[in-house]
Structures are given as C-alpha cells and as structure tokens.
Amino acid sequence: MKKTGKIVSLCVVFFILATGQVFSDTPIDDLHSAVNSFSNKIAESLPFNSTVGLNWSDAYIGQFLGIPPRFGIGVTTGFTTIPISSMNNLLNVFGAGNAMGNTNMGLPLLSYTLEARIGGFILPFDFGVKFGYLPDLSIPFMNVGMEEYTLVGADLRYSLLPKIIPIFKASVGIGINHLRGGISTSFPLGTEFDFSDPTDTHHYKLIMTDPTLTLPWSTTSYELKAQASASLLIFTPYAGLGIIYAKSNAGYRIKTEVTIKDENGIEITDLDELDDVRDYLIGLKNFSPNGFERMIENTGFNVRAYGGVSLNLAVIKFDLTGLYNFTTQSYGLTFGARFQL
C-alpha cells in the first residue's frame, strides 16, 4: 500500500504541474534555483537507484561447473527515493505550492531490471548482469511522459567462505551500473519570467508559449560491496554494504516558442543581437526561439546498505530487499523473483 501511494503521489505532482497557469513577475532566478536544486537532488540520488537489481540473497551461488550447475535468471522491480522538498521548490515556481506537503516521505524513482547470474569456474566467484529498458511512454489520462529508460549493469563477487561453513556465505565484489531516464510534462497555458540585464538597467520578460518541460538524467556508478547470507530451511536472510563512486548528470530541457519583450512591451525579434540576454542567461545551453536547457553534473561517493530475506521454493526464489543510502538519507524497496539452481 505504501508503495502504491507513492506512485499515485508522483502522478498527482505532475498532474498539478500540467495544469499550470499564466503568471508573471516571477524572477527567472527562481526557475534556475528551483530546477538546479531538483537536478542536484536527482543527481545525488541516481547512483543509489542504479544499484537496484543483482542484490540476490545468496552472497555466492556456487560453481557453474558442478552438479547441478549453479546459475539463475529473474526479474527485480522497486524504487528508491529523493527528498520531496526539492520537488516542492520546483512546484512553487510553477504556482503549485507545496503540493507534496512538508514531510520526510521521499519521492519514488521507479526501476526494474531483468537479471542473470552464473557461477564461477574453478575459483569461487560468480558473475551477474542486468538489463532494463522502456521506450518513451505517456501515462494514460495524465499530461505526463516518461523518457526512455535504460538500466544496465554487471558485478563480480568473490566468496570468502566457499566451503568452511556450508549454511553461511560471505563475499566481496565490484559492480558497474549505468542508468538514464527522465520525466516530462507540458503546460496548456503560457508561463512568464522576468529578468534584468547584469547592470539592472533594462528589464525583460521571457514568455514561453505551450512549453514542454523535460527533466532528463543519467549516471554511471562504480561500487565496491560486501555481503553475508545464511541458508535457514526455506529462508535466506542477507545483508550487504556498498561504497559507490558515480558521475551523474541531471537538468531540464524546455521546448517552447520563446518570446522576449523589453520593459516597454516591445518584442525583441533578434535574440542573437541581444547580448544582455546572452550574458544574463549564461549557463543555459542551446538557447534559441525554440527553447533552452541546463544540465548539472555531480560526482562523488555514496554509501548504501541493503538487506532482506528470500523465500526459497525448490528452484524458485522470491527476494524482498530494503535499501538505505547513508549519504542522502534516501531509502528503497525492491521485490525480485527468479529461477535459480
């Protein structure tokens, strides 16, 4: 129920965005500040989200060259969160206020992946790969779109207790993940922002007609991790810790008919000659009469913990995994099902 509620909340947020209204006297600095804050929070949270998948309950699945050969294939779906405060700041700029409320509940980033793992050869290791993909999607009855989603990754784990205590397993490993995606919405009415030149001598109004706002993101993360598990009848409890280094990009892209007017209401028709606009809007990329964009790059470390329990029914296993990011105080939950020998 909690997971469903978060998904519904996400849809409500962008429904509110999509019913935006015409308003003026909003400094464009507010747009920069709000979207930069949201983009930074997204960029900080992306590496954590990219670790969804391959968190199998068994710390080591065994040797492929054995009887039976050890391998598995399955699917995992779930979410991790970003702080709602960053979304509220963005909503405020577009006139929606604190639609999500002042709460510590996180905004969910959904993920899914197909995954497979194969046991090692001679040495006590196993190797896993994952892949998730969705094309651009429009959510029915909502003015919201999901940008193309891709999650790919792989890991290599080495067993520390291959034969010492059969019911207990421990491993250390390395992993790499790449994630990209985004969300978009359009505004049925125009939106206006005010700005001045750097000397505050001339004042302008930037008018966006029928704008489409896209929030794209991507990350590549590298992880060192350790995990322990225990086989107890039909249950396998497990816990792990990971240190992540990642390079992430997030930002916004606005497609719209851009009109700029001066303080006398006279339209500026040649944007290439308006140096004041160029100077003030420094940092915007591909600024033109058709829109503009801005991306934020974030690099750094994250530390995460994960753990849960699997239900083992013959060759079918069901995993329930909780995740927590110590760096961003975000959390997540995933559910997986797989065939495993």
Side-chain angles (χ1 to χ4, degrees):
M1 287 298 293
K2 288 184 179 180
K3 179 180 175 182
T4 302
K6 292 176 185 294
I7 297 171
V8 172
S9 296
L10 177 62
C11 295
V12 169
V13 165
F14 285 95
F15 175 76
I16 293 170
L17 274 175
T19 57
Q21 55 187 327
V22 174
F23 56 94
S24 58
D25 301 323
T26 302
I28 200 168
D29 278 346
D30 290 357
L31 173 64
H32 293 339
S33 177
V35 181
N36 289 352
S37 174
F38 182 70
S39 299
N40 273 312
K41 291 301 182 182
I42 283 280
E44 290 175 358
S45 302
L46 287 174
F48 185 42
N49 187 262
S50 73
T51 62
V52 168
L54 291 180
N55 298 309
W56 290 22
S57 57
D58 297 298
Y60 165 63
I61 67 169
Q63 291 279 288
F64 181 73
L65 297 179
I67 301 176
R70 300 300 182 181
F71 68 94
I73 184 170
V75 60
T76 292
T77 183
F79 70 92
T80 62
T81 62
I82 61 171
I84 276 180
S85 59
S86 61
M87 174 58 79
N88 275 333
N89 292 337
L90 184 59
L91 292 174
N92 282 331
V93 173
F94 290 98
N98 291 338
M100 298 300 292
N102 296 316
T103 174
N104 293 325
M105 183 185 72
L107 181 71
L109 293 179
L110 306 182
S111 292
Y112 100 94
T113 180
L114 303 174
E115 51 196 6
R117 189 176 294 279
I118 186 172
F121 305 86
I122 303 175
L123 296 177
F125 71 90
D126 60 30
F127 176 71
V129 294
K130 64 182 181 183
F131 175 76
Y133 175 81
L134 288 173
D136 292 347
L137 295 174
S138 295
I139 299 177
F141 310 111
M142 303 290 291
N143 191 20
V144 180
M146 305 298 293
E147 297 293 290
E148 180 183 279
Y149 165 86
T150 302
L151 174 59
V152 295
D155 72 1
L156 179 71
R157 305 185 304 179
Y158 191 87
S159 174
L160 300 178
L161 303 170
K163 297 180 180 180
I164 299 175
I165 308 176
I167 66 170
F168 293 106
K169 298 177 182 178
S171 64
V172 293
I174 56 174
I176 181 172
N177 304 288
H178 177 74
L179 168 70
R180 68 173 180 266
I183 46 183
S184 64
T185 186
S186 60
F187 302 87
L189 302 176
T191 302
E192 301 178 0
F193 293 95
D194 293 342
F195 65 97
S196 303
D197 64 18
T199 63
D200 200 32
T201 302
H202 300 290
H203 305 279
Y204 303 95
K205 188 180 297 294
L206 186 150
I207 304 169
M208 297 183 289
T209 303
D210 296 327
T212 298
L213 170 67
T214 300
L215 303 171
W217 55 69
S218 66
T219 188
T220 299
S221 64
Y222 308 88
E223 183 177 33
L224 295 175
K225 57 184 179 180
Q227 181 179 334
S229 63
S231 298
L232 306 174
L233 300 178
I234 62 172
F235 298 101
T236 302
Y238 56 100
L241 185 70
I243 301 174
I244 307 165
Y245 176 77
K247 179 179 180 179
S248 306
N249 289 277
Y252 69 98
R253 181 170 60 247
I254 294 179
K255 294 183 179 180
T256 181
E257 178 184 340
V258 176
T259 303
I260 296 179
K261 295 182 178 180
D262 63 18
E263 58 261 43
N264 299 314
I266 298 174
E267 182 178 345
I268 307 297
T269 57
D270 191 348
L271 297 183
D272 289 331
E273 294 183 1
L274 188 55
D275 292 335
D276 288 343
V277 172
R278 297 280 182 184
D279 291 341
Y280 186 82
L281 298 180
I282 192 71
L284 294 181
K285 302 298 183 182
N286 301 322
F287 182 77
S288 75
N290 300 315
F292 50 89
E293 63 184 54
R294 181 178 176 86
M295 297 297 292
I296 304 291
E297 182 177 295
N298 181 287
T299 58
F301 288 91
N302 281 244
V303 179
R304 68 153 182 152
Y306 63 96
V309 63
S310 70
L311 174 64
N312 313 316
L313 303 177
V315 295
I316 304 297
K317 294 178 181 271
F318 300 96
D319 275 332
L320 183 64
T321 307
L323 308 100
Y324 183 75
N325 189 325
F326 293 99
T327 307
T328 62
Q329 287 78 56
S330 51
Y331 56 92
L333 185 69
T334 66
F335 176 76
R338 65 184 181 273
F339 168 86
Q340 180 181 330
L341 288 179

